[in-house]
């Protein structure tokens, strides 16, 4: 009995320690970035840094230099980031919303399954592939009528819009499906058509959830790096037209960190802090929107009373808008847009994947050396075999670090934590923050901490440690949901038979949730394969010899694609690399989806 109590205490302590690591990670990211940026901000001046519109750094500037030779104002990039995000929202947000409406209310059942799979596949395509697609397809298309080669705000907005589309669709669809069926039936019973009931009754009831999906889309667009770098043009100027070159905050970090001087490096880290604050603000807005949705659902009667006592001016405005809407038949216009949005979503996947596969597969099949060849210094032949080995090594080590910590944190939150506990709120808040941190900010943190810790040079170990922190939110949330799906009767039966809590968790709960946990692991593998920004300055960006240890540097597949596409001399090899990358990531996502479906069938008792 005493031994069992000791084991229980040790287990609980270990699970709590894993949860504490999530909080430590968040504090460390903020602390290290702020500490590293303070000297530069003190030298440049906070107001000059934020509101100055001249970015002309001098890599020879040191903190002892007085006055500075370079200029370090990022306001043009702040404007560029915000404007491109708005552009992405106008494209991806609008199309995503109407696609969700089409899926829920207008899509035939057989087509719904196909379109749902299409959306999941779009979510799994790596950002660097979207950027490459922008370079080889979108930019040449825009160049037909653009005054330049097509780079600029329109191309950036299109690519970012397509990238945020799956997020908006998935969350908007969930919100629409959560509206009680009685709302729709009541509208139809009062004489509304199917289309009118959808757009006049159900959609307004799901407004808070749809707004939340748009806010999450904003967060995704703000933090995107590699795709924007490839299509924006990247001149530090205001985006005064659809086709002039401009730069966003994330691109500024990626483009200049590799050769930055002392003050310039501090300014780039400070740029990451500004970006982090933007994302943190988006998370606050997201939380406020979510809370508003909950209050709207629980205080329906109060909301009705507020509607009754609203001002006469407000009533007249609503009546006027309603009359205009009726005359324009806006519901039927909405239906047409929903159908068109669904068609566009399917076309997008076919365009992205189909175009790259058509272009890349012949080069992949005709050039076996590209995948299996040995790297030779000074050789003319390109091979991605070292990048494949580097990717596999990174996947293995990052999962070895992240999976135990993530699973143990999920166990603590689901099996031990008490509702309303302050510590639990801190842990969940830390996980939310980690999920919203842009990948390039993770790269900055890894460069400042892990690279310096291991001798100051890039290594696979530094990159793996960095990306393992990124994986924690995915593993924790997916594992927790799997644990929640395990029936309480299984726990109670095990405890009634004399098993302790630890034994119940490891012998009953975890095996029952295994499919969901494996699904989280597979998704995490896909995340590692897809990422590129965190590895540029932690692991290296040069395709070189096959690594022999974790202390070697190397480029992953995604980074290799970025380099091959960016150089412009190896486009055929870039196409073939994109095919390998897409096949690998989409295969992992399909495997994760199959595992999640298997878990659902198992828990529902379906033997088919």
């Amino acid at each position: 009995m005493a031994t069992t109590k000791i084991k229980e205490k040790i287990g609980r302590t270990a699970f709590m320690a894993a949860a504490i690591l999530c909080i430590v990670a968040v504090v460390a990211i903020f602390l290290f970035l702020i500490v590293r940026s303070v000297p530069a901000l003190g030298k440049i001046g906070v107001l000059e840094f934020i509101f100055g519109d001249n970015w002309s750094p001098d890599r020879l500037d040191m903190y002892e230099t007085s006055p500075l030779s370079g200029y370090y104002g990022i306001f043009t990039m702040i404007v560029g980031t915000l404007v491109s995000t708005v552009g992405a929202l106008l494209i991806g947000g609008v199309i995503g919303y109407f696609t969700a409406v089409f899926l829920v209310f207008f899509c035939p059942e057989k087509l719904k399954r196909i379109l749902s799979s299409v959306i999941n596949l779009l979510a799994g395509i790596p950002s660097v592939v979207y950027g490459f697609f922008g370079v080889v397809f979108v930019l040449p298309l825009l160049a037909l009528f653009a005054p330049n080669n097509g780079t600029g705000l329109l191309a950036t907005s299109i690519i970012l819009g397509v990238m945020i589309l799956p997020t908006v669709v998935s969350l908007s669809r969930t919100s629409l499906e959560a509206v009680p069926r009685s709302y729709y039936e009541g509208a139809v019973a009062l004489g509304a058509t199917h289309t009118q009931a959808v757009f006049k009754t159900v959609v307004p009831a799901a407004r808070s959830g749809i707004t939340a999906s748009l806010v999450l889309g904003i967060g995704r667009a703000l933090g995107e790096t590699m795709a924007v770098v490839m299509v924006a043009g990247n001149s530090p100027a205001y985006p005064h037209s659809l086709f002039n070159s401009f730069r966003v905050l994330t691109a500024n970090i990626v483009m200049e960190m590799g050769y930055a001087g002392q003050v310039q490096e501090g300014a780039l880290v400070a740029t990451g802090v500004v970006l982090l604050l933007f994302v943190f603000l988006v998370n606050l807005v997201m939380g406020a929107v979510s809370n508003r949705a909950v209050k709207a659902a629980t205080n329906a009667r109060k909301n009705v009373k507020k509607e009754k006592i609203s001002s006469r001016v407000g009533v007249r405005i609503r009546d006027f808008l309603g009359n205009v809407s009726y005359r324009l038949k806006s519901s039927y216009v909405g239906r047409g847009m929903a159908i068109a949005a669904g068609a566009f979503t399917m076309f997008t996947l076919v365009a992205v994947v189909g175009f790259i596969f058509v272009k890349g597969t012949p080069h992949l099949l005709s050039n076996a050396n590209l995948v299996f060849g040995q790297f030779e210094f000074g050789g003319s032949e390109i091979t991605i075999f070292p990048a494949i080995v580097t990717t596999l090594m990174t996947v293995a080590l990052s999962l070895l670090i992240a999976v135990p910590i993530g699973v143990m944190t999920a166990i603590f939150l689901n099996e031990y934590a008490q509702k309303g506990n302050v510590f639990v709120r801190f842990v969940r808040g830390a996980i939310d923050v980690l999920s919203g941190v842009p990948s390039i900010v993770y790269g900055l943190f890894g460069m400042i901490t892990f690279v310096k810790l291991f001798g100051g040079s890039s290594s696979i170990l530094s990159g793996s440690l960095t990306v393992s922190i990124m994986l924690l939110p995915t593993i924790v949330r997916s594992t927790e949901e799997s644990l929640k799906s395990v029936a309480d009767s299984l726990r109670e039966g095990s405890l009634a038979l004399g098993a302790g809590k630890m034994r119940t968790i490891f012998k009953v709960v975890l095996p029952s949730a295994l499919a969901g946990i494996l699904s989280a692991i597979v998704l995490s593998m896909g995340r590692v394969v897809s990422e590129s920004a965190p590895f540029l300055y932690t692991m290296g960006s040069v395709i070189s010899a096959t690594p022999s240890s974790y202390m070697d540097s190397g480029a992953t597949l995604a980074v290799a694609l970025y380099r091959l596409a960016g150089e412009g001399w190896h486009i055929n090899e870039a196409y073939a690399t994109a095919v390998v990358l897409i096949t690998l990531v989409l295969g992992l996502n399909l495997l994760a989806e199959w595992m999640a479906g298997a878990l659902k069938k198992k828990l529902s008792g379906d033997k088919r």
Side-chain angles (χ1 to χ4, degrees):
M1 183 67 72
T3 305
T4 302
K5 287 184 177 181
I6 293 173
K7 289 181 179 179
E8 295 285 344
K9 193 170 184 179
I10 292 174
R12 181 186 177 90
T13 303
F15 297 143
M16 183 180 292
I20 291 173
L21 282 176
C22 296
I23 300 176
V24 171
V26 172
V27 173
I29 290 172
F30 276 91
L31 188 62
F32 276 86
L33 292 180
I34 291 173
V35 168
R36 191 63 175 271
S37 62
V38 164
L41 291 176
K43 188 70 179 178
I44 300 166
V46 175
L47 294 180
E48 176 62 27
F49 176 72
I50 295 177
F51 296 106
D53 60 0
N54 185 358
W55 178 267
S56 303
D58 187 340
R59 66 185 308 271
L60 298 178
D61 278 341
M62 308 289 285
Y63 292 137
E64 298 80 16
T65 305
S66 185
L68 296 175
S69 301
Y71 297 91
Y72 302 88
I74 63 168
F75 191 68
T76 56
M77 287 168 274
I78 291 176
V79 173
T81 300
L82 296 178
V83 171
S84 61
T85 300
V86 171
L89 202 60
L90 290 175
I91 295 174
V94 172
I95 295 175
Y97 156 70
F98 281 109
T99 301
V101 173
F102 173 73
L103 266 174
V104 177
F105 299 108
F106 301 106
C107 187
E109 196 60 36
K110 291 183 179 179
L111 183 60
K112 182 182 291 188
R113 294 181 181 178
I114 297 173
L115 189 54
S116 297
S117 299
V118 166
I119 292 165
N120 292 335
L121 292 176
L122 282 174
I125 294 176
S127 61
V128 69
V129 172
Y130 280 115
F132 179 60
F133 176 74
V135 169
V136 298
F137 184 84
V138 177
L139 293 186
L141 199 62
L142 295 178
L144 296 176
F145 55 86
N148 59 3
N149 63 347
T151 59
L153 181 60
L154 182 58
T156 304
S157 299
I158 290 172
I159 295 300
L160 285 178
V162 172
M163 291 180 68
I164 70 171
L165 193 149
T167 301
V168 176
V169 172
S170 299
L171 292 177
S172 297
R173 178 185 177 183
T174 301
S175 301
L176 290 168
E177 291 176 340
V179 175
R181 179 73 179 176
S182 57
Y183 282 40
Y184 171 82
E185 293 172 346
V188 172
L190 290 173
T193 64
H194 172 68
T195 303
Q196 289 171 335
V198 168
F199 284 99
K200 300 294 185 181
T201 304
V202 181
V203 168
R207 183 171 52 199
S208 293
I210 294 170
T211 303
S213 72
L214 296 176
V215 173
L216 275 181
I218 291 173
R220 173 76 193 275
L222 280 173
E224 180 49 44
T225 305
M226 307 311 294
V228 178
V229 170
M230 300 173 80
V231 298
N234 303 312
S235 297
Y238 290 109
H240 54 76
S241 74
L242 292 177
F243 297 107
N244 77 290
S245 176
F246 74 105
R247 186 183 295 184
V248 299
L249 293 170
T250 52
N252 194 44
I253 299 170
V254 166
M255 293 189 64
E256 301 196 5
M257 185 58 78
Y259 57 85
Q262 189 181 53
V263 175
Q264 185 180 1
E265 182 179 308
L268 292 173
V269 174
T271 303
V273 174
V274 172
L275 184 62
L276 201 56
L277 291 175
F278 271 127
V279 174
F280 186 66
L281 181 62
V282 168
N283 286 339
L284 288 179
V285 173
M286 177 65 187
V289 170
S290 300
N291 291 335
R292 185 179 176 184
V294 173
K295 289 179 181 178
T298 56
N299 299 321
R301 293 182 180 179
K302 294 181 182 179
N303 290 339
V304 171
K305 290 181 181 179
K306 288 181 181 179
E307 287 290 327
K308 290 181 179 179
I309 63 174
S310 57
S311 66
R312 293 180 179 179
V313 175
V315 171
R316 289 176 180 176
I317 291 174
R318 283 201 303 272
D319 289 345
F320 172 75
L321 292 176
N323 187 39
V324 171
S325 174
Y326 175 77
R327 290 178 180 274
L328 293 176
K329 302 294 183 183
S330 62
S331 296
Y332 297 98
V333 173
R335 178 180 180 177
M337 293 185 68
I339 296 172
F344 175 83
T345 302
M346 294 196 68
F347 167 77
T348 301
L349 179 71
V350 173
V352 175
V353 178
F355 181 79
I356 290 177
F357 267 73
V358 168
K359 287 283 192 177
T361 303
H363 297 294
L364 186 64
L365 296 177
S366 63
N367 186 7
N369 186 70
L370 179 67
V371 178
F372 302 106
Q374 293 297 315
F375 176 83
E376 295 181 8
F377 287 99
S380 59
E381 297 246 353
I382 299 294
T383 176
I384 60 172
F385 181 75
I388 294 174
V389 174
T390 301
T391 302
L392 295 177
M393 291 175 68
T394 306
V395 168
L397 183 57
S398 58
L399 290 180
L400 188 63
I401 297 168
V403 170
I405 296 174
V407 172
M408 290 169 70
T409 301
I411 291 173
F412 173 77
L413 292 174
N414 194 72
E415 305 296 325
Y416 287 95
Q418 297 178 353
K419 291 183 179 179
N421 186 285
V422 176
F423 175 69
V424 173
R425 290 180 183 176
F426 275 118
V427 175
R428 293 194 185 280
I431 293 167
D432 290 339
V433 171
L434 287 175
S435 66
V437 174
S439 58
I440 189 61
V441 175
Y442 278 111
L444 283 177
F445 173 70
M447 183 192 70
I448 293 171
T449 54
F450 300 127
V451 172
K452 301 294 183 184
L453 182 65
F454 298 116
S457 54
S458 302
S459 66
I460 298 175
L461 178 58
S462 299
S464 300
L465 288 169
T466 302
V467 80
S468 63
I469 302 175
M470 293 182 62
L471 299 181
L472 287 177
T474 301
I475 296 173
V476 171
R477 287 174 171 172
S478 299
T479 302
E480 190 179 3
E481 289 302 315
S482 299
L483 295 174
K484 285 179 181 178
S485 66
V486 179
D488 287 336
S489 58
L490 294 177
R491 296 178 178 86
E492 293 165 358
S494 176
L495 294 171
L497 292 172
K501 186 151 188 157
M502 285 283 292
R503 188 175 183 83
T504 298
I505 290 171
F506 283 99
K507 296 293 185 181
V508 177
V509 179
L510 286 179
S512 300
L514 187 59
I517 296 171
L518 290 176
S519 175
I521 293 172
V522 173
L523 281 174
S524 299
M525 293 170 64
R527 178 77 185 274
V528 177
V529 175
S530 302
E531 285 295 343
S532 49
F535 298 137
L536 285 175
Y537 302 113
T538 58
M539 185 180 296
S541 58
V542 179
I543 304 174
S544 56
T546 304
S548 57
S549 75
Y550 278 98
M551 296 308 297
D552 292 340
S553 63
T556 61
L557 271 173
V559 175
L561 172 59
Y562 170 67
R563 288 303 183 194
L564 292 172
E567 292 172 358
W569 298 341
H570 307 289
I571 291 297
N572 291 336
E573 289 82 359
Y575 275 120
T577 304
V579 170
V580 175
L581 188 58
I582 290 176
T583 303
L584 186 56
V585 173
L586 294 189
L588 289 171
N589 278 272
L590 289 173
L591 180 60
E593 190 175 338
W594 174 80
M595 286 181 173
L599 174 64
K600 186 175 181 180
K601 286 184 179 181
K602 179 181 177 181
L603 294 175
S604 63
D606 190 349
K607 302 296 184 183
R608 292 176 295 176

